[in-house]
Amino acid sequence: MTTQPSIAISQMDSIVGDVLAGTSFIDIHTHLFTPALGSLGLWGIDELLTYHYLEAELFRFSPITPEQYWTLSKSQRADLVWKTLFVDNTPLSEASRGVIAVLDALKLDTASNTLEPLRAYFRKQTLDEYVPRVFRLAGITHAVMTNDPLDPEEAVRWTRGIETDPHFPAVLRIDRILNQWSAHHDALAAQGYGVDANAGGQTMRELRRFFADWVERMKPVYMAVSLEDTFLFPVDDIRTRLFREAVLPACREFGLPMSLMIGVRRLINPALRLAGDGVGRADMHAVQNIALEFPENRFLISMLSRENQHELCVIARKFRNLLPFGCWWFLNNPSIVEEMTRERLEMLGTSFIPQHSDARILEQVIYKWRNTRRTIGPILARSYKLLIADGRNVSRDDVQRDVNRLFRTNFENWIQRAD
Ligand code: FIX
Ligand code: ZN
């Protein structure tokens, strides 16, 4: 029990805010890339403005059709997004406010009529200096990547050999294998693995060999897949067999958690490309069945649908091999983050990971983590005030321990090999 003085209720908000501001987080899921992976990594004003969240919003305000939009150059698209969402209209959405917050943090003009002065600033940045500065502004030490061994552009860089970067841990993302086997088993064969279309013969052994080679190459901290809202487990299909006979055994062999991100409806409007994905409520039996059938595997779980959050908390109370994380994608809005975080604290205590950024452009970590600290601070403080009202003092050490746990050690412990 701490000997530290207990925090007065009147001081709680500011002390919790202080501790959150003074603690650097681990961002457990992003689409950022270490500079060693070159042009795969996106940053700068044109990338910030052509983020698919903003493109989806653009088409609600602008008469331009998606077909016309895709004929424009990246900078022409960025100009149009800026004019439409930031000049002709007030940037009130979470994603558009985010761009303003980034420009403000970089001490740039947030109300410029044109992008040229901003472009001039970004052209002057060098990644060696810029990446650490952005991480400091975001209050993170690590941005966990999303790496696809079957993405031709990315795979060739890894096979050529890259300097692994401790600030950008890798993740073996296997959507193409689990969700599009028929379309991608050839790519595995092209890399020299004896797999076949029906996943028969030596496919499972060869797929394990593929995972072993890529684990050696990437040193991933976990394996991951996103799954549609209609995902069921187990069913009589290749995916269930791949999970059972290759993916989850490989995770056990290498001591890696498996991340399941469930609930996306890919391309409900294909014309919008990356901005065209949607969401659907998933049947949580799949999560329950996987947790029950594979007690030796550790799972990171994020559900995309708001309607799945309560069930996830209940199932996580029944299965210690499940670690709920993040307010993913369409849930990453302060009003929903508040609701989810309160419910999780009430049902799971501090045994979950409140947030990840899902940043696709480097500077986004600045506003996504600023929002998270701003939203979660009052929620945490409220829980402490309730604890004091219920008869237990709270010290700054308690708060620091809990914040470390929520934003660092829950993840660090989860990725540690059990044996
Ligand atoms: O599957 C994922 O990892 C999703 O996060 C992405 O596909 C999505 O496009 C995104 O950027 C969400 O924020
Ligand atoms: Zn993502």
Side-chain angles (χ1 to χ4, degrees), residues 257-283:
M258 180 72 199
S259 173
L260 305 175
M261 306 177 79
I262 308 174
V264 58
R265 277 187 196 155
R266 295 287 176 192
L267 296 179
I268 60 174
N269 183 352
L272 271 56
R273 301 187 185 177
L274 212 45
D277 293 337
V279 58
R281 179 179 180 164
D283 179 335

PDB file of all heavy atoms in Angstrom, residues 257-283:
ATOM      1  N   PRO A 257       0.955 -13.152 -29.818  1.00  0.00           N
ATOM      2  CA  PRO A 257      -0.496 -13.008 -29.761  1.00  0.00           C
ATOM      3  C   PRO A 257      -1.060 -12.897 -31.176  1.00  0.00           C
ATOM      4  O   PRO A 257      -0.335 -12.541 -32.107  1.00  0.00           O
ATOM      5  CB  PRO A 257      -0.704 -11.696 -29.003  1.00  0.00           C
ATOM      6  CG  PRO A 257       0.602 -11.358 -28.402  1.00  0.00           C
ATOM      7  CD  PRO A 257       1.649 -11.981 -29.277  1.00  0.00           C
ATOM      8  N   MET A 258      -2.366 -13.197 -31.303  1.00  0.00           N
ATOM      9  CA  MET A 258      -3.063 -13.024 -32.585  1.00  0.00           C
ATOM     10  C   MET A 258      -4.057 -11.894 -32.405  1.00  0.00           C
ATOM     11  O   MET A 258      -4.868 -11.919 -31.465  1.00  0.00           O
ATOM     12  CB  MET A 258      -3.806 -14.313 -32.959  1.00  0.00           C
ATOM     13  CG  MET A 258      -4.553 -14.223 -34.270  1.00  0.00           C
ATOM     14  SD  MET A 258      -3.394 -14.211 -35.662  1.00  0.00           S
ATOM     15  CE  MET A 258      -4.441 -13.529 -36.947  1.00  0.00           C
ATOM     16  N   SER A 259      -3.991 -10.893 -33.268  1.00  0.00           N
ATOM     17  CA  SER A 259      -4.942  -9.783 -33.185  1.00  0.00           C
ATOM     18  C   SER A 259      -6.086 -10.012 -34.164  1.00  0.00           C
ATOM     19  O   SER A 259      -5.855 -10.239 -35.356  1.00  0.00           O
ATOM     20  CB  SER A 259      -4.252  -8.453 -33.512  1.00  0.00           C
ATOM     21  OG  SER A 259      -5.230  -7.418 -33.587  1.00  0.00           O
ATOM     22  N   LEU A 260      -7.304  -9.975 -33.637  1.00  0.00           N
ATOM     23  CA  LEU A 260      -8.501 -10.131 -34.470  1.00  0.00           C
ATOM     24  C   LEU A 260      -9.257  -8.808 -34.446  1.00  0.00           C
ATOM     25  O   LEU A 260      -9.687  -8.360 -33.376  1.00  0.00           O
ATOM     26  CB  LEU A 260      -9.384 -11.255 -33.930  1.00  0.00           C
ATOM     27  CG  LEU A 260      -8.739 -12.639 -33.751  1.00  0.00           C
ATOM     28  CD1 LEU A 260      -9.724 -13.601 -33.090  1.00  0.00           C
ATOM     29  CD2 LEU A 260      -8.261 -13.195 -35.084  1.00  0.00           C
ATOM     30  N   MET A 261      -9.378  -8.169 -35.596  1.00  0.00           N
ATOM     31  CA  MET A 261     -10.121  -6.901 -35.707  1.00  0.00           C
ATOM     32  C   MET A 261     -11.352  -7.205 -36.547  1.00  0.00           C
ATOM     33  O   MET A 261     -11.250  -7.432 -37.755  1.00  0.00           O
ATOM     34  CB  MET A 261      -9.221  -5.843 -36.335  1.00  0.00           C
ATOM     35  CG  MET A 261      -7.899  -5.678 -35.590  1.00  0.00           C
ATOM     36  SD  MET A 261      -6.792  -4.493 -36.363  1.00  0.00           S
ATOM     37  CE  MET A 261      -7.519  -2.955 -35.778  1.00  0.00           C
ATOM     38  N   ILE A 262     -12.502  -7.237 -35.898  1.00  0.00           N
ATOM     39  CA  ILE A 262     -13.690  -7.832 -36.511  1.00  0.00           C
ATOM     40  C   ILE A 262     -14.816  -6.808 -36.703  1.00  0.00           C
ATOM     41  O   ILE A 262     -15.062  -5.997 -35.802  1.00  0.00           O
ATOM     42  CB  ILE A 262     -14.214  -8.993 -35.638  1.00  0.00           C
ATOM     43  CG1 ILE A 262     -13.096  -9.991 -35.307  1.00  0.00           C
ATOM     44  CG2 ILE A 262     -15.396  -9.691 -36.293  1.00  0.00           C
ATOM     45  CD1 ILE A 262     -13.496 -11.087 -34.322  1.00  0.00           C
ATOM     46  N   GLY A 263     -15.483  -6.866 -37.876  1.00  0.00           N
ATOM     47  CA  GLY A 263     -16.672  -6.058 -38.075  1.00  0.00           C
ATOM     48  C   GLY A 263     -16.660  -5.154 -39.291  1.00  0.00           C
ATOM     49  O   GLY A 263     -17.586  -4.377 -39.497  1.00  0.00           O
ATOM     50  N   VAL A 264     -15.648  -5.250 -40.132  1.00  0.00           N
ATOM     51  CA  VAL A 264     -15.582  -4.374 -41.309  1.00  0.00           C
ATOM     52  C   VAL A 264     -16.385  -4.967 -42.459  1.00  0.00           C
ATOM     53  O   VAL A 264     -16.430  -6.184 -42.626  1.00  0.00           O
ATOM     54  CB  VAL A 264     -14.111  -4.145 -41.733  1.00  0.00           C
ATOM     55  CG1 VAL A 264     -13.396  -5.454 -42.045  1.00  0.00           C
ATOM     56  CG2 VAL A 264     -14.020  -3.176 -42.893  1.00  0.00           C
ATOM     57  N   ARG A 265     -17.047  -4.093 -43.185  1.00  0.00           N
ATOM     58  CA  ARG A 265     -17.672  -4.488 -44.457  1.00  0.00           C
ATOM     59  C   ARG A 265     -16.859  -3.785 -45.522  1.00  0.00           C
ATOM     60  O   ARG A 265     -16.971  -2.564 -45.699  1.00  0.00           O
ATOM     61  CB  ARG A 265     -19.136  -4.014 -44.506  1.00  0.00           C
ATOM     62  CG  ARG A 265     -20.088  -4.934 -43.822  1.00  0.00           C
ATOM     63  CD  ARG A 265     -21.529  -4.524 -44.042  1.00  0.00           C
ATOM     64  NE  ARG A 265     -22.382  -5.202 -43.062  1.00  0.00           N
ATOM     65  CZ  ARG A 265     -23.562  -4.742 -42.653  1.00  0.00           C
ATOM     66  NH1 ARG A 265     -24.019  -3.585 -43.146  1.00  0.00           N
ATOM     67  NH2 ARG A 265     -24.268  -5.402 -41.760  1.00  0.00           N
ATOM     68  N   ARG A 266     -15.977  -4.546 -46.170  1.00  0.00           N
ATOM     69  CA  ARG A 266     -15.075  -3.945 -47.137  1.00  0.00           C
ATOM     70  C   ARG A 266     -15.856  -3.426 -48.353  1.00  0.00           C
ATOM     71  O   ARG A 266     -16.757  -4.072 -48.860  1.00  0.00           O
ATOM     72  CB  ARG A 266     -14.005  -4.950 -47.562  1.00  0.00           C
ATOM     73  CG  ARG A 266     -13.049  -5.379 -46.455  1.00  0.00           C
ATOM     74  CD  ARG A 266     -12.049  -4.287 -46.073  1.00  0.00           C
ATOM     75  NE  ARG A 266     -11.194  -4.669 -44.951  1.00  0.00           N
ATOM     76  CZ  ARG A 266     -10.410  -3.794 -44.283  1.00  0.00           C
ATOM     77  NH1 ARG A 266     -10.390  -2.531 -44.633  1.00  0.00           N
ATOM     78  NH2 ARG A 266      -9.672  -4.202 -43.263  1.00  0.00           N
ATOM     79  N   LEU A 267     -15.495  -2.206 -48.759  1.00  0.00           N
ATOM     80  CA  LEU A 267     -15.978  -1.617 -50.012  1.00  0.00           C
ATOM     81  C   LEU A 267     -17.487  -1.677 -50.206  1.00  0.00           C
ATOM     82  O   LEU A 267     -17.976  -2.159 -51.225  1.00  0.00           O
ATOM     83  CB  LEU A 267     -15.245  -2.264 -51.195  1.00  0.00           C
ATOM     84  CG  LEU A 267     -13.729  -2.001 -51.226  1.00  0.00           C
ATOM     85  CD1 LEU A 267     -13.086  -2.696 -52.411  1.00  0.00           C
ATOM     86  CD2 LEU A 267     -13.430  -0.499 -51.286  1.00  0.00           C
ATOM     87  N   ILE A 268     -18.245  -1.154 -49.235  1.00  0.00           N
ATOM     88  CA  ILE A 268     -19.690  -1.071 -49.462  1.00  0.00           C
ATOM     89  C   ILE A 268     -19.982  -0.055 -50.572  1.00  0.00           C
ATOM     90  O   ILE A 268     -21.014  -0.130 -51.228  1.00  0.00           O
ATOM     91  CB  ILE A 268     -20.472  -0.742 -48.178  1.00  0.00           C
ATOM     92  CG1 ILE A 268     -20.048   0.598 -47.567  1.00  0.00           C
ATOM     93  CG2 ILE A 268     -20.352  -1.867 -47.152  1.00  0.00           C
ATOM     94  CD1 ILE A 268     -20.916   1.020 -46.382  1.00  0.00           C
ATOM     95  N   ASN A 269     -19.071   0.899 -50.770  1.00  0.00           N
ATOM     96  CA  ASN A 269     -19.134   1.777 -51.931  1.00  0.00           C
ATOM     97  C   ASN A 269     -17.761   1.780 -52.598  1.00  0.00           C
ATOM     98  O   ASN A 269     -16.903   2.601 -52.252  1.00  0.00           O
ATOM     99  CB  ASN A 269     -19.540   3.206 -51.566  1.00  0.00           C
ATOM    100  CG  ASN A 269     -19.661   4.059 -52.824  1.00  0.00           C
ATOM    101  OD1 ASN A 269     -19.302   3.627 -53.924  1.00  0.00           O
ATOM    102  ND2 ASN A 269     -20.125   5.293 -52.665  1.00  0.00           N
ATOM    103  N   PRO A 270     -17.566   0.862 -53.560  1.00  0.00           N
ATOM    104  CA  PRO A 270     -16.236   0.682 -54.171  1.00  0.00           C
ATOM    105  C   PRO A 270     -15.686   1.959 -54.818  1.00  0.00           C
ATOM    106  O   PRO A 270     -14.470   2.164 -54.842  1.00  0.00           O
ATOM    107  CB  PRO A 270     -16.482  -0.403 -55.218  1.00  0.00           C
ATOM    108  CG  PRO A 270     -17.738  -1.081 -54.807  1.00  0.00           C
ATOM    109  CD  PRO A 270     -18.570  -0.045 -54.104  1.00  0.00           C
ATOM    110  N   ALA A 271     -16.554   2.843 -55.270  1.00  0.00           N
ATOM    111  CA  ALA A 271     -16.099   4.063 -55.961  1.00  0.00           C
ATOM    112  C   ALA A 271     -15.246   4.940 -55.049  1.00  0.00           C
ATOM    113  O   ALA A 271     -14.418   5.724 -55.511  1.00  0.00           O
ATOM    114  CB  ALA A 271     -17.304   4.863 -56.458  1.00  0.00           C
ATOM    115  N   LEU A 272     -15.426   4.790 -53.749  1.00  0.00           N
ATOM    116  CA  LEU A 272     -14.675   5.613 -52.783  1.00  0.00           C
ATOM    117  C   LEU A 272     -13.347   4.973 -52.383  1.00  0.00           C
ATOM    118  O   LEU A 272     -12.631   5.514 -51.535  1.00  0.00           O
ATOM    119  CB  LEU A 272     -15.515   5.856 -51.526  1.00  0.00           C
ATOM    120  CG  LEU A 272     -16.436   7.077 -51.492  1.00  0.00           C
ATOM    121  CD1 LEU A 272     -17.388   7.054 -52.670  1.00  0.00           C
ATOM    122  CD2 LEU A 272     -17.174   7.189 -50.185  1.00  0.00           C
ATOM    123  N   ARG A 273     -13.039   3.812 -52.986  1.00  0.00           N
ATOM    124  CA  ARG A 273     -11.784   3.092 -52.682  1.00  0.00           C
ATOM    125  C   ARG A 273     -11.595   2.927 -51.167  1.00  0.00           C
ATOM    126  O   ARG A 273     -12.540   2.487 -50.502  1.00  0.00           O
ATOM    127  CB  ARG A 273     -10.621   3.799 -53.316  1.00  0.00           C
ATOM    128  CG  ARG A 273     -10.774   3.912 -54.860  1.00  0.00           C
ATOM    129  CD  ARG A 273      -9.559   4.472 -55.522  1.00  0.00           C
ATOM    130  NE  ARG A 273      -9.786   4.664 -56.941  1.00  0.00           N
ATOM    131  CZ  ARG A 273      -8.886   5.205 -57.766  1.00  0.00           C
ATOM    132  NH1 ARG A 273      -7.692   5.581 -57.289  1.00  0.00           N
ATOM    133  NH2 ARG A 273      -9.154   5.369 -59.051  1.00  0.00           N
ATOM    134  N   LEU A 274     -10.453   3.302 -50.589  1.00  0.00           N
ATOM    135  CA  LEU A 274     -10.194   3.066 -49.163  1.00  0.00           C
ATOM    136  C   LEU A 274     -11.267   3.707 -48.284  1.00  0.00           C
ATOM    137  O   LEU A 274     -11.546   3.251 -47.186  1.00  0.00           O
ATOM    138  CB  LEU A 274      -8.820   3.648 -48.795  1.00  0.00           C
ATOM    139  CG  LEU A 274      -7.980   2.973 -47.708  1.00  0.00           C
ATOM    140  CD1 LEU A 274      -7.950   1.463 -47.863  1.00  0.00           C
ATOM    141  CD2 LEU A 274      -6.572   3.551 -47.701  1.00  0.00           C
ATOM    142  N   ALA A 275     -11.885   4.762 -48.793  1.00  0.00           N
ATOM    143  CA  ALA A 275     -12.926   5.459 -48.020  1.00  0.00           C
ATOM    144  C   ALA A 275     -14.258   4.739 -48.153  1.00  0.00           C
ATOM    145  O   ALA A 275     -15.253   5.183 -47.580  1.00  0.00           O
ATOM    146  CB  ALA A 275     -13.054   6.891 -48.504  1.00  0.00           C
ATOM    147  N   GLY A 276     -14.298   3.634 -48.893  1.00  0.00           N
ATOM    148  CA  GLY A 276     -15.564   2.968 -49.193  1.00  0.00           C
ATOM    149  C   GLY A 276     -15.946   1.842 -48.239  1.00  0.00           C
ATOM    150  O   GLY A 276     -16.979   1.203 -48.444  1.00  0.00           O
ATOM    151  N   ASP A 277     -15.123   1.590 -47.199  1.00  0.00           N
ATOM    152  CA  ASP A 277     -15.437   0.512 -46.256  1.00  0.00           C
ATOM    153  C   ASP A 277     -16.520   0.927 -45.278  1.00  0.00           C
ATOM    154  O   ASP A 277     -16.645   2.105 -44.944  1.00  0.00           O
ATOM    155  CB  ASP A 277     -14.181   0.100 -45.469  1.00  0.00           C
ATOM    156  CG  ASP A 277     -13.127  -0.558 -46.360  1.00  0.00           C
ATOM    157  OD1 ASP A 277     -13.497  -1.081 -47.423  1.00  0.00           O
ATOM    158  OD2 ASP A 277     -11.933  -0.500 -45.994  1.00  0.00           O
ATOM    159  N   GLY A 278     -17.271  -0.074 -44.772  1.00  0.00           N
ATOM    160  CA  GLY A 278     -18.334   0.182 -43.802  1.00  0.00           C
ATOM    161  C   GLY A 278     -18.193  -0.720 -42.591  1.00  0.00           C
ATOM    162  O   GLY A 278     -17.138  -1.328 -42.371  1.00  0.00           O
ATOM    163  N   VAL A 279     -19.249  -0.822 -41.815  1.00  0.00           N
ATOM    164  CA  VAL A 279     -19.223  -1.581 -40.568  1.00  0.00           C
ATOM    165  C   VAL A 279     -20.492  -2.400 -40.434  1.00  0.00           C
ATOM    166  O   VAL A 279     -21.534  -2.054 -41.005  1.00  0.00           O
ATOM    167  CB  VAL A 279     -19.109  -0.616 -39.360  1.00  0.00           C
ATOM    168  CG1 VAL A 279     -20.268   0.377 -39.329  1.00  0.00           C
ATOM    169  CG2 VAL A 279     -19.046  -1.378 -38.039  1.00  0.00           C
ATOM    170  N   GLY A 280     -20.391  -3.479 -39.679  1.00  0.00           N
ATOM    171  CA  GLY A 280     -21.585  -4.267 -39.381  1.00  0.00           C
ATOM    172  C   GLY A 280     -21.419  -4.948 -38.036  1.00  0.00           C
ATOM    173  O   GLY A 280     -20.292  -5.192 -37.586  1.00  0.00           O
ATOM    174  N   ARG A 281     -22.538  -5.201 -37.398  1.00  0.00           N
ATOM    175  CA  ARG A 281     -22.500  -5.876 -36.111  1.00  0.00           C
ATOM    176  C   ARG A 281     -22.135  -7.340 -36.332  1.00  0.00           C
ATOM    177  O   ARG A 281     -22.741  -8.004 -37.187  1.00  0.00           O
ATOM    178  CB  ARG A 281     -23.865  -5.762 -35.434  1.00  0.00           C
ATOM    179  CG  ARG A 281     -23.920  -6.461 -34.105  1.00  0.00           C
ATOM    180  CD  ARG A 281     -25.253  -6.311 -33.455  1.00  0.00           C
ATOM    181  NE  ARG A 281     -25.257  -7.008 -32.173  1.00  0.00           N
ATOM    182  CZ  ARG A 281     -26.175  -6.814 -31.237  1.00  0.00           C
ATOM    183  NH1 ARG A 281     -27.160  -5.959 -31.467  1.00  0.00           N
ATOM    184  NH2 ARG A 281     -26.124  -7.467 -30.091  1.00  0.00           N
ATOM    185  N   ALA A 282     -21.180  -7.838 -35.583  1.00  0.00           N
ATOM    186  CA  ALA A 282     -20.710  -9.213 -35.776  1.00  0.00           C
ATOM    187  C   ALA A 282     -21.377 -10.152 -34.777  1.00  0.00           C
ATOM    188  O   ALA A 282     -21.881  -9.708 -33.739  1.00  0.00           O
ATOM    189  CB  ALA A 282     -19.199  -9.264 -35.609  1.00  0.00           C
ATOM    190  N   ASP A 283     -21.375 -11.428 -35.098  1.00  0.00           N
ATOM    191  CA  ASP A 283     -21.885 -12.456 -34.183  1.00  0.00           C
ATOM    192  C   ASP A 283     -20.733 -12.835 -33.255  1.00  0.00           C
ATOM    193  O   ASP A 283     -19.741 -13.414 -33.686  1.00  0.00           O
ATOM    194  CB  ASP A 283     -22.351 -13.683 -34.988  1.00  0.00           C
ATOM    195  CG  ASP A 283     -22.871 -14.798 -34.095  1.00  0.00           C
ATOM    196  OD1 ASP A 283     -22.455 -14.855 -32.905  1.00  0.00           O
ATOM    197  OD2 ASP A 283     -23.664 -15.628 -34.574  1.00  0.00           O
TER     198      ASP A 283
END
